[in-house]
Amino acid sequence: MNHNQASLNSSSAKLKMIVSMVIFGSIGFFSERSNLQSVELVFVRCMCATLFLSTCWVLTGKYKEEKWSKKDIFQTLVCGVFLVLNWVFLFKAFEQTSVTVAISIYHLAPVFVLLLGAILYKEKLTLISVMSLGICFIGTLLVSGINAGTSMSDLLSSGVVWGLLAAFFYAFTTLAGKGIRELSPYATTFLQTLVGIFMLIPLVSFHSFSELSSINWIVVATTGIIHTGIVYLLFFDSLRFLSSNVISVLVFLDPAVAILLDTLLTGFRPDILQSVGIVLIFGGMGLTMMKTKKKPDYSYREGESVK
């Protein structure tokens, strides 16, 4: 591949990544208008992603090139469980708190990856890593409004716990998925969303779908097809042409768009302490990007799960 072609591929990949992150940044706004609870909305998302991406998988002929291994299949299925739980908890957080608060806490995931990596893989935390953990912890307390007088019931109903659980399971998804080597993104996604269908179908209240208005159905279809299917395609198609550093920067577009929409369209206004907390969380996340090159690379790569 010559230099001009490589440059063109890189520019195209950046555009695809930017579009996918901007689209995903609006998912909280859409989920609040779907009139569905988290389990039902994630079920629709899994259904749409499975049908849409498996169709693309077959039409592109990529299914003929798959190299199946028991290890990859097992890891993909485990990732699928973590990914679905991540989605359910994220939408549950959207139900009980503002998109800004939920998305800020949810994007602690890279920090949790760092912490879990130290626990599970016995990696030594650097001074910068410890500082980032401390800064993000303080930021989370400020964003959530937790104080000495906060009761357990208040905490559970605030959406903070659900946002933290979503971030934890996203971190588990990233760590479990980094060992998948042979399966293509299509096969990986197909297996993961298929797991979601079987996990959730016993829990889905199908009666809730009969109560949706035409507007609700448009929102639900958008969340399933565009926020999941199309975003997956754009995201996975861009990964192979981008460096981890570029990806790490571009993923910040997701929370930026989410907070912007929450402020402009829903009228949410964080108070001073929450604003400081948001700055601290994303500042702490920025510090995690300053890891040395000798550290394992936990950035997204082809074959891993997207949001």
Side-chain angles (χ1 to χ4, degrees):
M1 184 184 296
N2 59 41
H3 176 74
N4 290 336
Q5 184 62 45
S7 178
L8 182 62
N9 285 338
S10 178
S11 298
S12 175
K14 286 179 184 176
L15 179 60
K16 290 176 182 178
M17 176 65 77
I18 289 170
V19 172
S20 67
M21 289 297 98
V22 169
I23 292 174
F24 190 80
S26 66
I27 195 169
F29 177 78
F30 277 81
S31 68
E32 289 184 333
R33 285 150 184 79
S34 67
N35 200 30
L36 286 178
Q37 298 298 305
S38 56
V39 169
E40 285 72 29
L41 191 55
V42 174
F43 178 73
V44 170
R45 205 176 174 197
C46 288
M47 286 287 292
C48 289
T50 302
L51 293 173
F52 184 84
L53 291 172
S54 59
T55 300
C56 295
W57 188 30
V58 172
L59 291 178
T60 58
K62 295 292 186 181
Y63 71 97
K64 299 177 183 178
E65 304 171 8
E66 292 297 339
K67 297 178 181 179
W68 302 93
S69 70
K70 291 182 179 179
K71 179 178 178 294
D72 271 8
I73 292 173
F74 176 75
Q75 280 195 257
T76 300
L77 294 178
V78 171
C79 280
V81 173
F82 291 153
L83 180 65
V84 171
L85 290 174
N86 153 47
W87 283 353
V88 170
F89 292 138
L90 176 60
F91 287 125
K92 190 71 176 176
F94 286 149
E95 289 174 13
Q96 299 194 359
T97 190
S98 73
V99 170
T100 296
V101 172
I103 212 71
S104 297
I105 294 173
Y106 176 63
H107 279 83
L108 287 169
V111 178
F112 289 152
V113 168
L114 190 66
L115 182 60
L116 290 171
I119 296 172
L120 298 176
Y121 298 105
K122 310 300 181 183
E123 293 161 8
K124 186 177 179 181
L125 288 174
T126 64
L127 177 60
I128 289 178
S129 299
V130 174
M131 287 175 57
S132 69
L133 290 170
I135 291 170
C136 287
F137 176 74
I138 295 171
T140 302
L141 292 179
L142 294 177
V143 166
S144 62
I146 297 173
N147 54 53
T150 302
S151 66
M152 182 58 67
S153 60
D154 290 337
L155 182 62
L156 292 174
S157 63
S158 68
V160 173
V161 171
W162 302 118
L164 287 171
L165 285 172
F168 263 115
F169 278 105
Y170 191 40
F172 278 126
T173 302
T174 302
L175 289 171
K178 73 188 185 78
I180 300 171
R181 301 297 179 190
E182 301 293 336
L183 290 180
S184 73
Y186 289 108
T188 302
T189 306
F190 174 78
L191 291 175
Q192 289 175 338
T193 52
L194 193 63
V195 164
I197 293 173
F198 286 103
M199 278 179 62
L200 298 177
I201 200 167
L203 306 175
V204 172
S205 173
F206 289 97
H207 175 71
S208 60
F209 291 103
S210 64
E211 300 175 350
L212 299 182
S213 67
S214 57
I215 298 297
N216 292 146
W217 274 113
I218 291 173
V219 170
V220 170
T222 299
T223 301
I225 296 172
I226 297 179
H227 286 102
T228 310
I230 292 177
V231 164
Y232 264 61
L233 280 181
L234 292 172
F235 184 87
F236 281 134
D237 199 35
S238 64
L239 291 182
R240 73 188 72 180
F241 302 111
L242 297 176
S243 68
S244 296
N245 289 337
V246 171
I247 295 169
S248 297
V249 172
L250 292 182
V251 295
F252 275 90
L253 285 171
D254 166 19
V257 170
I259 293 172
L260 183 64
L261 289 177
D262 197 27
T263 302
L264 296 179
L265 300 182
T266 66
F268 175 77
R269 296 291 184 272
D271 59 30
I272 294 177
L273 290 180
Q274 285 180 318
S275 298
V276 172
I278 291 170
V279 172
L280 288 176
I281 286 175
F282 290 108
M285 282 175 57
L287 283 178
T288 66
M289 307 302 175
M290 297 172 63
K291 292 180 291 182
T292 63
K293 293 183 178 180
K294 293 183 179 180
K295 291 286 183 179
D297 182 4
Y298 290 131
S299 298
Y300 304 98
R301 62 172 181 81
E302 185 172 4
E304 284 188 358
S305 300
V306 74
K307 305 173 181 182

